Amino acid sequence: MDATDLDYRVRTRSGCIPPELVSRLLQHGHADVVELQAGSGEWFCALAWARVLGDQGRETDALEALAPYVVTGWWTAVVSTAELLEGWGRIDEAIEIIRTRMEAGHPMALETYTRLLARHGHAEEAFNLLVPHVDDWVLATALVDIASVAGRDEEAAALLAGRIRADHCCDGPWCCRGLDPDTVLGLLATIRERQGYLDDAIGLLRRRQVTSVNSRDQLADLLARHGRIEELRAYAAVDGHEEAVQQLAELLEKDGDVEGAIAVYERADGPAARNPNSAYELAQLLARHGRGGEAIAVMRAQADAHHSDDWILHALSQLCLDQGCPAEGLVHLDALAAERGGEDEWELYWMRLPLIAARSGVDEAVERARTHPEGNTWYAAEHIAHLFAGAGRIEEAVVVLQRHDRGISHDLAGYLVDLGRVEEALAIVLHRSPPPPLVPTTHLWSDEPPF
């Protein structure tokens, strides 16, 4: 086995048995196939088989199944083995396997190693190992988490505070090569909140230039956690604080104030009127509380206002399907198609197929799909097969997909396993091509095209 080849196949899900198919094999009683492939370089089979063996108390056999992968030095195999060992209570062995990779210089090993140490009574050692690396935002985050266990919050706060430079100017959260000020402020706020200094934490977060990272707003989360509803309400009222609006609505809904949660979105100049994402959240809120008609109306208004946003049409169609109103969804899609001068391209057309199937049956939906100008393409076949499979007509789904040789091999293999045709399924997914050559990692930055 080769670590580079393993990493490429697992990362791209190409030339290997994907985890979804492994689960399907086990569900259909083909554990022998999974065991055989585990010994033939199939990582997802090896990991699943090791877990099965571990659950049976056969820990030694489980480790033997993973050993050929671990010996390549491939990080995914190393960390997965450590996680199994930790789960079995074999902590010293888990620590040792990660320590070995850390000493070999693997870039991700230090975070994993220190967090593992901290979970098992060695927080002081973990904290000391991280201190020299506080300029790395991943390791700084680990240090803040571990500081709580080690009882060294103040030391961590002092280290972070020293990284805030008055002359530093960023226009985004990731412009720095190291630890940017917004991240420092967020980590400091985490420490102060943990210590009970909520006002200090709030003050730190209000200094950040970028409030939302990865669709979360740390200040909104903090205010919601501590029930500071009026402050959260005022913060949510600021234009652009979409995540704060959602947090406020979620908090009110959790407290039983459904009408208050709806009102957060429904103000005349409120977020649902201006922001399709907030409108979607409002529609989901309404649907959760038995007000499906109102939910559909909210998304229909958004679809009327944003003809070019396909995701809104998808959301509206799914909502109509979930609410048992397929005809209503079709009326809107047909009207939109007429406005566009006739037939929709497939990307817009296919979303009506589940609605047609719900209203008139699968055969009608399939017939309509096949009459579309793109109905014979491989990507149309994927949707047609899904219709058949949803109706329990797996053989017909397979026939549709077998007419095409690209883009849909995992779907076809899954249906073949459902039919017990395991060898055919494996032949499809195990067709391998060599990984592309490695791209050099130096001298890639340029401010001139091509970038």
Side-chain angles (χ1 to χ4, degrees), residues 120-383:
H120 298 285
H122 303 284
E124 282 281 343
E125 179 186 351
F127 186 91
N128 291 332
L129 285 169
L130 289 169
V131 167
H133 305 281
V134 72
D135 287 315
D136 181 300
W137 72 270
V138 172
L139 298 179
T141 302
L143 180 136
V144 168
D145 293 341
I146 290 168
S148 175
V149 184
R152 298 174 71 172
D153 273 343
E154 282 303 329
E155 187 175 345
L159 284 168
L160 292 168
R163 264 68 185 173
I164 300 178
R165 304 194 304 273
D167 61 344
H168 188 279
C169 181
C170 276
D171 58 1
W174 298 289
C175 66
C176 302
R177 292 185 180 274
L179 197 60
D180 66 277
D182 275 4
T183 298
V184 174
L185 291 168
L187 292 174
L188 278 170
T190 296
I191 294 173
R192 296 309 181 206
E193 180 189 2
R194 197 160 62 207
Q195 294 175 318
Y197 303 134
L198 297 186
D199 290 336
D200 290 348
I202 291 168
L204 288 164
L205 293 174
R206 290 192 185 280
R207 291 168 54 188
R208 300 206 307 178
Q209 295 184 18
V210 177
T211 61
S212 175
V213 178
N214 294 330
S215 299
R216 298 303 303 179
D217 186 310
Q218 188 177 348
L219 177 54
D221 289 344
L222 184 153
L223 294 171
R225 267 195 304 274
H226 296 280
R228 300 176 73 150
I229 293 180
E230 293 311 312
E231 290 171 84
L232 180 56
R233 194 183 302 277
Y235 185 56
V238 177
D239 188 31
H241 288 178
E242 177 183 327
E243 287 80 10
V245 171
Q246 184 177 343
Q247 274 285 15
L248 176 58
E250 288 176 358
L251 181 61
L252 292 170
E253 182 186 13
K254 182 179 178 181
D255 289 344
D257 185 5
V258 175
E259 292 302 325
I262 292 171
V264 169
Y265 292 112
E266 278 191 335
R267 298 193 314 268
D269 61 341
R274 294 177 280 110
N275 188 314
N277 293 322
S278 293
Y280 174 79
E281 295 298 336
L282 171 59
Q284 296 299 304
L285 171 62
L286 290 165
R288 281 196 298 275
H289 294 278
R291 295 163 66 168
E294 294 172 71
I296 291 172
V298 168
M299 291 311 298
R300 188 168 54 237
Q302 290 297 319
D304 288 337
H306 302 276
H307 286 182
S308 61
D309 288 348
D310 296 350
W311 77 266
I312 296 176
L313 290 175
H314 282 279
L316 172 60
S317 300
Q318 187 61 49
L319 190 58
C320 289
L321 193 62
D322 293 341
Q323 295 299 317
C325 306
E328 188 169 348
L330 287 168
V331 166
H332 188 89
L333 292 174
D334 289 341
L336 182 61
E339 289 179 17
R340 291 178 172 177
E343 197 71 71
D344 282 325
E345 60 186 22
W346 184 261
E347 185 60 30
L348 289 176
Y349 185 82
W350 76 263
M351 70 183 72
R352 73 183 61 219
L353 298 179
L355 297 170
I356 296 171
R359 184 196 64 181
S360 306
V362 168
D363 290 323
E364 173 68 17
V366 169
E367 181 63 27
R368 292 277 296 276
R370 285 174 170 161
T371 60
H372 189 275
E374 298 171 75
N376 290 320
T377 61
W378 67 266
Y379 46 87
E382 184 178 20
H383 294 109

Side-chain angles (χ1 to χ4, degrees), residues 12 14 18 29 38 165 189 205 236 238 252 268 271 341 357 407 423 425 430 436 441 451:
T12 62
S14 61
R165 304 194 304 273
L205 293 174
V238 177
L252 292 170
E423 290 186 7
L430 293 179
T441 57
F451 299 105

Side-chain angles (χ1 to χ4, degrees), residues 3-69:
T4 301
D5 179 58
L6 283 168
D7 190 67
Y8 173 77
R9 288 193 285 120
V10 166
R11 179 167 39 84
T12 62
R13 299 292 200 270
S14 61
C16 70
I17 303 174
E20 301 81 11
L21 193 59
V22 176
S23 297
R24 226 156 173 162
L25 287 166
L26 290 172
Q27 289 166 5
H28 286 286
H30 299 294
D32 57 331
V33 175
V34 174
E35 179 184 9
L36 178 64
Q37 293 298 328
S40 302
E42 286 301 311
W43 165 249
F44 293 117
C45 286
L47 182 58
W49 184 238
R51 288 171 175 161
V52 169
L53 292 171
D55 290 343
Q56 295 173 353
R58 298 167 59 187
E59 295 173 7
T60 299
D61 292 338
L63 294 176
E64 287 180 1
L66 296 182
Y69 302 85

